[in-house]
Amino acid sequence: VTEESLDIVVVPHTHWDREWYLPLEGYRHRLIPMLDRVIDLLESGVLSCFLLDGQCVVVEDYLHHKPERAEALAQLVRAGRLKIGPWYALADEFLVSGEALLRNLAEGRRVAGALGGASEVAYSPDPFGHVSQMPQIVRGFGMDTFVFARGLGQTPTRTVYLWEGPDGSKVQALFLATSYSNGRLLLSSDQVAQRLRSEVERLRPHLAAPVVLVCAGSDHEIPHPQIGPRLARAAEEVAPWRLHLGTLENYRDILKGHTPTALSLNGELRGARLLPLLPGVLSARIPLKQANDRCQDLLELKAEPFSALACILGSRDPSSSLRAAWRELLHNHAHDSICGCSIDAVHRENFTRFERVGQIANGVLDESAAFLARQAVEKLEGDHLRVFFNAFEQDFEGVVETVVREPLSGSESEGPAGAAFSRWTAQGPGHSRRVQVVAEDISEGCFPYPSGSALRTTRMLVEARIPALGYETVRLLKGIQDGPHLPVVAAGETAELVWMENEFCRVEATRNGQLSLIHRRSGRRWEGLGLFESSADAGDTYNFSPLPDTQPILGLVGARVSLIQKGPLQAAISVQGSLKLPLGLSRDRRSRSRRMVARPVHLVVALTVRNPLMEVHLQFDNQASDHRLRLRFPLRATVGQTWAQSAFDIVKRDHAKVDPTGWIEDPATTHPQGGVCFVPEDPRGLRGLAFFARGLPEYELVSGPDPYLAVTLLRCVGWLSREDVPSRRCQAGPKIATPEAQCLGPQSFRFALAPWADDAEPMSPVRLLRMSRRFAAPPWSIDANPPIGFGQESWPVAPGLSDSRLSRAAGLLSVEGRSVVLSALFALDQNTLVLRLLQAESKVGSARLKLHESLGSQWTATLTDLEVNPLGDTALPLESEGWTVPLQPWGLTTLRLERSSSQSMNERPAGP
Ligand SMILES: [Zn+2]
């Protein structure tokens, strides 16, 4: 680097956490004068350009209060002087689904597009690490450059990398080696040129080309009113270096002119050498993570696919409602929001948003399911008709839960509730189905049933066989009928233990609550599963911080075990005990308090026919502060590796110890999983244990002579950020008390375990992703003839449609392929479906796609990018009423299915 050839690109910007240590409206109050000033400086020519932080939601926040500024703002965006987007919100990447990241970019580009265009650089300055598939995501939206700050570990520091994802996609990744605020308060003194020179010296060892990026701005920083003229003056002082006031696009282009020597990067970025990764955010405020997974599952796995199918059959177009739900959800995906590292007021608002997402998505789902039910069931066909839905792209065989509510006559209602379960059977297409009643309750009738009368509520499990992405109709009948001999769950007890078993597993619980899981075919046992572990946590919402010389408290006190369901479809073991824990930390925070609090814990462990998962539902009331509560799952062996679900990937992490010398934060020992984590016992994965959960994203593999997998249930802390966290040699945020981050109160968790042991067939990513998806969205049931006032009678039906056009069971769309996973199915309008597939292995493959005949035959299928723009001339040929879709290794393939305009909805032939 000769002194003459150096270029300095100063990018004026601000990093705008929309909500963090102030609530949304608190920051908006500052956002308005900040953007007022930016617009004024740009309009008056004092400033030539400004980067608005890579996200669009802040623009909406501003225009919501100042709609009269929309045109002025749009003019600057169109002129390329105000850079907005491409993201809608700067999301955390590990705590949201892959689809959520795609919807975030799509929405950001849509909002920015309406205002004049999105930034061409995927700028992600602050999120806490980056997922492996980001190169493919960025490429799929037509961009080639990613800008990031956090996540580098042992890799040598360089300002330019070539980052490759598991599918082979590569992006230029520009690294902010001295952070996104290396030009913070650049104009706060007269020494601008000197500040620039010292930044050049700091960055010089890392430069991939003689180009230095100075980001003039920081968190919520308002640009200096003299920024333009004073930088012009500084330009003279730093000569012969060339000083440019520009955008990230300018930086990218100037770099290109120098052909930088990029280093290569591969896979996910989760190191913390130069900037902290803040891994404790994975477990701060776990209830937020649970609510987010519930919303994502509801939208992605139920509301979108079923409303799409109903819409194609003539139901209302759901797309505007679903977009509203996604936008609401994306507000919560901002890194300080979903990470749980904001003040309490912010997270109270997050929960309200999650509520609203659920309300919209359930509205869409209820309408769509009722519409499909009406197409499949003749009216007034009798009582107790149910329609079961399967959101999974493979046929489902197993059990579905449903509830029957019946108003009782006077004499009936006087019997003891639940004393003797009534007997039921079910009639589905084909044969009769077994039913297992699991609870019965008599209560006072309420809407829509007559008040004053008694109501019997019977919760039951029904055997089901539901086609892929389809439904079946089942009639529930009182009494027992003989059906074919099918697998059962058996259960029993001895003096020492309670046991249950299905085709796959056996579970044993000793009388003191020790749980064992046995893989039946191989006989392999995993013992002592689900041991409670509570460790002191003197940290904050960003980092777990154990106390030295303090041992964790293990196990339940006074555990009692009983068999509460005995088959034939499901058996369940109840484990009750109490957690006896210190109330919090001592006043000096150096030990746990001596005052103890004991609270009851209730686990229900269930095995169900045709389901390889041992499912667990856990409830307890947390009254202990300043601790991390985990469950330990002892392992038979480990090779120091885990396979964990991440956005569109199963990441194989090697948990070798990293030398933390010189790191700003100790390397993370806890890691994220987005639904499943498998611990192989051998490098191929022929044996091992898989853990599935929704909303429990943090795990740790603890090696040693007695290895175990630990999963965090709660991390209870009282501070947003503290200065005395030894594992982190910097502040992460202001020291503000966050009493609600202690997560006191009732908590409930759902998770599952599945053993794997096969001499010939290793566990595979596609198997894990399919099991994870099935666990996330089990089939569900609706009442096909609900009581008046309870819904579907009042839904509008498209004109020209008659009821009962579908058969009693149908798969509306089939997706078949060795390693294919359905990632998304949604409607753009009544004649357009969008389908996204993931090839979950490192080999090319194909998927066979077929629409049910009732959806009509005049369809064309076109390959698109991730934003659903057609990719050139890529219509797929129709072969025997379906399409064969080529799939790339770990590639996402998006398809647009369009019904030709010659065949509008009402002209189609009637279905079967
Ligand atoms: Zn931030």
Side-chain angles (χ1 to χ4, degrees), residues 855-869:
L855 302 181
S857 57
Q858 301 297 306
W859 289 85
T860 54
T862 317
L863 294 175
T864 76
D865 64 11
L866 292 178
E867 207 172 13
V868 204
N869 302 308

Side-chain angles (χ1 to χ4, degrees), residues 19-353:
E19 48 187 17
W20 180 27
Y21 62 84
L22 286 182
L24 170 63
E25 294 301 339
Y27 281 123
R28 173 148 46 192
H29 195 68
R30 298 179 179 195
L31 175 73
I32 289 167
M34 189 281 291
L35 264 176
D36 278 344
R37 177 177 291 177
V38 168
I39 292 172
D40 289 348
L41 292 177
L42 289 169
E43 281 184 335
S44 63
V46 172
L47 190 58
S48 56
C49 57
F50 192 80
L51 166 67
L52 195 51
D53 205 29
Q55 52 173 332
C56 282
V57 64
V58 289
V59 181
E60 290 186 339
D61 286 346
Y62 173 76
L63 292 179
H64 186 66
H65 281 206
K66 299 204 107 177
E68 70 279 7
R69 297 285 263 178
E71 187 41 39
L73 198 139
Q75 264 186 25
L76 295 167
V77 173
R78 283 196 296 269
R81 296 177 62 205
L82 180 62
K83 288 292 180 186
I84 61 172
W87 297 102
Y88 182 61
L90 286 179
D92 184 83
E93 296 168 23
F94 293 95
L95 290 169
V96 308
S97 67
E99 278 298 322
L101 293 171
L102 301 186
R103 308 313 172 90
N104 191 330
L105 266 179
E107 184 63 18
R109 283 167 58 91
R110 192 156 28 177
V111 171
L115 285 163
S119 167
E120 296 157 28
V121 172
Y123 178 58
S124 197
D126 201 23
F128 312 151
H130 301 285
V131 292
S132 61
Q133 286 278 27
M134 188 53 75
Q136 181 172 191
I137 294 173
V138 169
R139 283 279 176 189
F141 281 83
M143 294 178 281
D144 61 7
T145 304
F146 184 73
V147 178
F148 73 107
R150 295 188 205 260
L152 286 191
Q154 304 293 53
T155 322
T157 314
R158 187 69 59 91
T159 49
V160 184
Y161 294 92
L162 196 61
W163 183 20
E164 183 172 351
D167 70 316
S169 291
K170 288 177 187 160
V171 286
Q172 171 173 249
L174 306 181
F175 175 50
L176 305 170
T178 50
S179 95
Y180 60 80
S181 47
N182 64 345
R184 181 174 171 266
L185 300 173
L186 187 64
L187 304 186
S188 62
S189 78
D190 305 332
Q191 317 285 321
V192 181
Q194 197 179 315
R195 283 277 309 276
L196 292 171
R197 279 194 204 99
S198 77
E199 195 50 36
V200 169
E201 292 320 312
R202 278 175 75 201
L203 277 167
R204 195 186 287 278
H206 313 302
L207 296 181
V211 187
V212 167
L213 174 66
V214 176
C215 303
S218 184
D219 299 355
H220 311 107
E221 192 175 312
I222 296 187
H224 193 283
Q226 287 301 312
I227 182 165
R230 289 181 61 182
L231 281 169
R233 219 173 308 144
E236 292 167 20
E237 293 174 45
V238 298
W241 295 345
R242 290 181 294 272
L243 184 71
H244 313 261
L245 190 66
T247 60
L248 290 174
E249 282 84 348
N250 298 135
Y251 173 55
R252 175 197 62 185
D253 295 344
I254 291 169
L255 265 176
K256 205 173 276 171
H258 287 277
T259 48
T261 45
L263 291 179
S264 46
L265 267 185
N266 273 291
E268 67 177 8
L269 308 181
R270 286 194 52 77
R273 186 158 54 88
L274 300 164
L275 287 168
L277 185 69
L278 311 170
V281 299
L282 297 175
S283 52
R285 305 183 198 252
I286 284 286
L288 271 184
K289 281 62 166 173
Q290 295 176 313
N292 184 54
D293 276 3
R294 276 198 297 275
C295 288
Q296 287 180 166
D297 293 345
L298 181 60
L299 275 173
E300 295 174 23
L301 305 179
K302 290 179 161 183
E304 282 192 338
F306 281 94
S307 67
L309 296 167
C311 173
I312 292 305
L313 283 160
S315 183
R316 275 197 308 156
D317 179 354
S319 50
S320 58
S321 300
L322 291 169
R323 183 183 169 199
W326 269 111
R327 283 167 51 84
E328 198 79 46
L329 186 58
L330 293 171
H331 292 170
N332 277 352
H333 288 178
H335 50 284
D336 298 301
S337 311
I338 190 63
C339 287
C341 53
S342 294
I343 54 169
D344 290 344
V346 163
H347 299 298
R348 285 196 291 265
E349 200 165 357
N350 293 160
F351 282 112
T352 309
R353 277 182 216 140

Side-chain angles (χ1 to χ4, degrees), residues 571-719:
I573 294 171
S574 152
V575 180
Q576 286 176 288
S578 65
L579 265 173
K580 195 174 172 197
L581 301 173
L583 206 53
L585 292 179
S586 61
R587 193 165 298 173
D588 65 4
R589 298 179 66 85
R590 289 192 188 154
S591 58
R592 298 184 84 165
S593 94
R594 260 174 284 171
R595 282 184 60 200
M596 303 293 278
V597 58
R599 302 300 297 173
V601 171
H602 191 194
L603 283 123
V604 174
V605 184
L607 281 184
T608 310
V609 281
R610 301 186 190 276
N611 184 352
L613 272 58
M614 175 188 96
E615 299 198 3
V616 183
H617 185 214
L618 162 63
Q619 286 177 290
F620 74 101
D621 177 13
N622 180 49
Q623 291 302 332
S625 297
D626 306 310
H627 71 129
R628 180 179 73 180
L629 186 65
R630 307 202 292 187
L631 288 175
R632 289 184 182 181
F633 301 98
L635 302 164
R636 297 175 51 100
T638 125
V639 285
Q641 195 183 65
T642 52
W643 303 0
Q645 187 173 348
S646 181
F648 308 118
D649 200 3
I650 292 285
V651 177
K652 295 187 175 175
R653 296 193 179 108
D654 285 310
H655 298 278
K657 280 250 184 309
V658 177
D659 175 13
T661 312
W663 286 39
I664 194 158
E665 182 187 67
D666 292 348
T669 56
T670 49
H671 302 279
Q673 59 89 6
V676 58
C677 172
F678 176 68
V679 191
E681 292 179 9
D682 55 275
R684 287 184 64 202
L686 290 167
R687 293 173 185 81
L689 190 65
F691 174 85
F692 299 83
R694 307 308 296 153
L696 291 175
E698 183 180 273
Y699 75 90
E700 179 176 1
L701 177 67
V702 180
S703 299
D706 298 307
Y708 57 91
L709 175 73
V711 175
T712 308
L713 296 173
L714 288 177
R715 204 164 65 74
C716 309
V717 290
W719 296 92

Side-chain angles (χ1 to χ4, degrees), residues 345-594:
V346 163
H347 299 298
R348 285 196 291 265
E349 200 165 357
N350 293 160
F351 282 112
T352 309
R353 277 182 216 140
F354 286 130
E355 282 287 335
R356 221 158 26 222
V357 174
Q359 290 164 14
I360 301 171
N362 276 314
V364 169
L365 180 63
D366 289 352
E367 177 179 6
S368 312
F371 177 88
L372 291 170
R374 255 170 93 164
Q375 301 293 309
V377 177
E378 280 162 44
K379 265 189 198 166
L380 307 172
E381 218 178 345
D383 289 343
H384 306 319
L385 268 172
R386 293 292 180 278
V387 182
F388 296 161
F389 290 95
N390 172 21
F392 195 50
E393 71 266 32
Q394 303 203 313
D395 294 349
F396 172 85
E397 280 195 69
V399 301
V400 176
E401 187 179 309
T402 193
V403 172
V404 172
R405 292 189 178 83
E406 308 162 281
L408 298 185
S409 62
S411 60
E412 250 186 315
S413 61
E414 278 153 26
F421 287 157
S422 34
R423 296 181 180 280
W424 292 78
T425 190
Q427 194 66 48
H431 3 171
S432 69
R433 311 291 175 79
R434 291 174 296 175
V435 173
Q436 180 181 339
V437 172
V438 290
E440 205 168 64
D441 178 49
I442 293 174
S443 60
E444 192 184 340
C446 57
F447 176 81
Y449 301 94
S451 29
S453 68
L455 190 70
R456 176 163 54 210
T457 303
T458 309
R459 198 161 65 83
M460 57 185 85
L461 301 171
V462 183
E463 233 170 2
R465 255 169 264 156
I466 322 170
L469 287 163
Y471 63 88
E472 69 164 355
T473 54
V474 166
R475 182 195 302 271
L476 304 171
L477 304 163
K478 288 216 164 111
I480 295 242
Q481 289 178 3
D482 277 341
H485 195 71
L486 291 163
V488 291
V489 186
E493 47 194 311
T494 66
E496 293 80 35
L497 55 82
V498 177
W499 61 271
M500 57 185 176
E501 64 182 29
N502 68 2
E503 315 95 288
F504 306 97
C505 316
R506 177 182 170 90
V507 175
E508 293 176 359
T510 61
R511 293 289 171 186
N512 62 3
Q514 294 275 313
L515 277 174
S516 298
L517 177 61
I518 299 110
H519 181 257
R520 282 190 64 189
R521 197 143 42 97
S522 65
R524 286 175 93 78
R525 292 177 73 95
W526 283 262
E527 295 187 340
L529 297 170
L531 178 69
F532 284 85
E533 171 210 272
S534 162
S535 310
D537 190 347
D540 52 27
T541 59
Y542 294 102
N543 293 77
F544 168 63
S545 196
L547 293 176
D549 314 318
T550 307
Q551 292 304 309
I553 295 167
L554 299 178
L556 294 178
V557 179
R560 303 181 306 285
V561 170
S562 58
L563 193 59
I564 54 171
Q565 284 174 47
K566 298 178 182 170
L569 301 179
Q570 186 177 73
I573 294 171
S574 152
V575 180
Q576 286 176 288
S578 65
L579 265 173
K580 195 174 172 197
L581 301 173
L583 206 53
L585 292 179
S586 61
R587 193 165 298 173
D588 65 4
R589 298 179 66 85
R590 289 192 188 154
S591 58
R592 298 184 84 165
S593 94
R594 260 174 284 171

